[in-house]
Amino acid sequence: MVLDYSDSMTSNQKYVRMKDAAIQLVDTLSMHGTNKRAKFGIVPFAAMVKANLPAWAIRSDATGAGCTQDRRHPFNTLEDGPSVADDSKWGEVTSTHNCSEMGSRGLDVVDLTNDHSGVKNKISAMQPYLWTHIALGAEMGFQMLSPTGVFGKAAPYNTDKTIKVAIILTDGMQTAPGWAADGTQTPAAAEANLLALCSAMKAQNIKVFTIGYDLADTHTLDLLKQCAGSGMFFDANDIQSGLIASFNEIGERVRDQMVRLSE
């Protein structure tokens, strides 16, 4: 799950409901912790993400203590892990963020695991922070699901044996800049990178769901709709009939596919 934990949300109740909906999804797909074949990962994103990446995946000039922006273009649109070049690695930070604060707010990336209780505890502990970088969340989510990604725990692509699902949730616009091909950083570049990442995920038969939660910006809603697979975009206008209903439908659809896969 790729979750927006920026401070664009203004109500504490919204955070609580978002966490409740995500935890309910974990229960649905894990059959309340009994299906150990179901693995979950979490990518909380603000302007940066905080991830426990191996040393060989960190730029030589990095000083981020675990936090990072997106990689340089075009690597920020690819599923493969780093090469030897610094531009293919992570670790660049933004001056608007304090990495230690992201850690204290529980905003660490959680790699794929079947420790369902641990995943739910991590979700419960999360608190919001600054800005919104949807493309970076998608970048790290793709790395997590890809067998060639930096995290190294994903199963091979095999639609006969494995269902891979990315759920991207945001309540805010893309406010953080992303790296473009010309070496500049802009929010518009990040939006283009997001669409490239979504296309690449869908090309690998990863099921991409997107949710715009209490989001009035029509441009961002259209972006999320383009990112999602056919019929997999949800415009969740409110908490009960919107967000929770969206997670419930996603859970039911994925669970049905899991059942068919096991038959």
Side-chain angles (χ1 to χ4, degrees), residues 179-218:
W179 285 107
D182 63 1
T184 61
Q185 280 184 295
T186 65
E191 292 181 343
N193 295 339
L194 172 64
L195 294 181
L197 286 160
C198 293
S199 293
M201 283 193 279
K202 288 182 287 190
Q204 293 289 13
N205 290 313
I206 295 173
K207 301 183 185 305
V208 181
F209 293 90
T210 61
I211 305 173
Y213 176 32
D214 192 28
L215 182 58
D217 181 67
T218 56

Side-chain angles (χ1 to χ4, degrees), residues 16 22 24 54 56 64 75 82 86 98 118 146 151 178-179 192-193 202 207 231 235 249 262:
V16 172
Q24 184 174 313
W56 53 265
F75 300 101
D86 261 357
N98 183 319
S146 170
F151 294 102
W179 285 107
N193 295 339
K202 288 182 287 190
K207 301 183 185 305
D235 185 357
E249 183 173 340
S262 62

